[in-house]
Amino acid sequence: MDDRLRRSLLYVPASSEAMLRKAPSRGADAIIVDLEDGVLPDAKEGARARAEGLWLELDLGLAEVLLRVNAPGTPWHEDDLLAAARIRPAGLVLPKCEDPGTIAAVAARLEATPLFLMVETARGVLVAPELARAPHVAGLLFGAADFRANVRASREPDEGEILVARSALVLAARAAGVEVFDTPHFEYRDEPGLERSARRARALGFDGKTCIHPAQVAVVNRVFAPTVEEVERARRVVEALKAAEREGRGVATVDGEMVEALHGREARRTLDRARRAGAA
Ligand code: COA
Ligand code: MG
């Protein structure tokens, strides 16, 4: 996996030229130019042409730009893939993934393009470990709106109805060594709700969260970057382990807690993420 920090990934419908043009300057680590559900069927062809025409003109800033195509089996999938092969986006987002064989076929056609697979159905969650191990997969994305509809779940304030699916994705991604990103929070004016949702996802192990509105980006970037306290503690863990090693010991004590090599690795990961987030 590459060295990019992906905390926030902002969906931008390719049907809106104004949104596309400004999207890279919204502070998201990645933007996902969307040809799928953010675009009405009648607008699909126009959106695809606009994405392709604008791609080279987009001022990418620091954002990485991914393309979300329509799912295999839809009338637009084939033309979307042809456009993707011409555009060569930094990554391709494939929605409603359920069949590892289909993923391998897409990967073969787009050669080295990293694939980000959306898991948003019961079948997708159940085969997530195989999806994550398909060729060229760089990450899994959870889509809770489709998932809830697919399993007939309701929406609970504590998001308890998506806990099992979220955890299944984290396990599948970690077992395959790929990244994993959480669902958008659809009430885009509800900042406290977004923050709670992002914190839950981070606690479960997610690397970042997808966004549907620019106002969500700063919250998500903050939640998925190490806090000042975490950075400070990580430094002390690294120092304590170094001191212990000089004395021939493999363990040390930090804040009354025993730490060993695994904590050292975790601390270095925290410091590395903080450095890449510009926070250390
Ligand atoms: N990407 C980039 N820019 C966006 C954006 C997005 N997803 N959502 C809103 N903006 C821009 C607007 O164009 C506006 O720009 P301006 O200040 O230059 O005029 C600014 O952010 C403020 O937008 P606001 O007026 O608050 O929202 P809106 O009513 O224009 O749009 C939505 C609300 C939900 C329709 C819009 O956010 C959206 O389309 N989101 C993406 C939905 C999507 O991709 N769904 C599929 C994935 S689940
Ligand atoms: Mg979806």
Side-chain angles (χ1 to χ4, degrees):
M1 193 62 218
D2 58 66
D3 189 43
R4 268 199 174 263
L5 182 66
R6 298 187 183 92
R7 296 162 297 175
S8 54
L9 301 88
L10 174 64
Y11 285 107
V12 189
S15 44
S16 166
E17 175 159 349
M19 283 191 194
L20 276 180
R21 285 198 182 276
K22 283 199 195 164
S25 61
R26 301 290 190 178
D29 292 326
I31 68 172
I32 303 176
V33 175
D34 185 24
L35 302 177
E36 201 223 6
D37 286 353
V39 178
L40 287 170
D42 284 351
K44 296 278 190 198
E45 310 285 337
R48 184 193 306 119
R50 181 173 302 103
E52 192 169 353
L54 274 179
W55 204 272
L56 292 179
E57 278 182 57
L58 286 179
D59 172 13
L60 304 186
L62 293 175
E64 175 182 43
V65 188
L66 316 177
L67 179 69
R68 180 163 85 164
V69 297
N70 288 281
T74 63
W76 310 284
H77 178 70
E78 183 57 32
D79 287 341
D80 286 357
L81 280 193
L82 292 173
R86 291 187 295 267
I87 291 173
R88 295 260 155 210
L92 191 81
V93 178
L94 271 178
K96 303 187 176 77
C97 294
E98 296 186 325
D99 174 14
T102 317
I103 311 307
V106 171
R109 288 180 54 183
L110 285 165
E111 291 164 29
T113 304
L115 300 181
F116 293 83
L117 307 185
M118 298 204 61
V119 178
E120 41 189 347
T121 61
R123 282 183 58 190
V125 172
L126 293 176
V127 300
E130 289 107 278
L131 293 172
R133 281 196 300 268
H136 296 298
V137 172
L140 301 180
L141 277 71
F142 181 48
D146 279 293
F147 175 77
R148 285 193 187 94
N150 183 253
V151 305
R152 302 181 199 156
S154 60
R155 240 189 116 177
E156 298 302 314
D158 68 353
E159 302 182 303
E161 79 287 4
I162 55 173
L163 174 61
V164 168
R166 274 172 154 174
S167 281
L169 259 67
V170 171
L171 293 179
R174 294 288 166 254
V178 304
E179 290 192 302
V180 60
F181 306 101
D182 191 39
T183 182
H185 185 67
F186 296 96
E187 286 127 340
Y188 57 91
R189 305 232 179 266
D190 167 27
E191 193 175 316
L194 169 66
E195 170 129 13
R196 281 193 299 274
S197 176
R199 288 196 179 285
R200 277 185 204 114
R202 186 182 168 189
L204 289 172
F206 281 90
D207 295 295
K209 188 170 176 70
T210 47
C211 303
I212 52 163
H213 191 283
Q216 297 183 315
V217 168
V219 175
V220 168
N221 281 350
R222 176 165 47 75
V223 170
F224 283 93
T227 62
V228 173
E229 294 76 29
E230 285 166 341
V231 169
E232 195 262 330
R233 188 171 193 282
R235 288 213 175 95
R236 285 191 292 125
V237 168
V238 170
E239 283 312 312
L241 284 170
K242 271 190 200 153
E245 199 180 324
R246 282 195 295 272
E247 293 164 16
R249 286 181 291 115
V251 298
T253 302
V254 173
D255 301 336
E257 189 190 328
M258 187 212 77
V259 295
E260 54 186 355
L262 81 92
H263 302 98
R265 282 194 296 277
E266 187 54 27
R268 275 188 290 276
R269 202 183 79 85
T270 298
L271 294 175
D272 182 55
R273 268 182 88 79
R275 180 183 54 74
R276 288 190 281 148

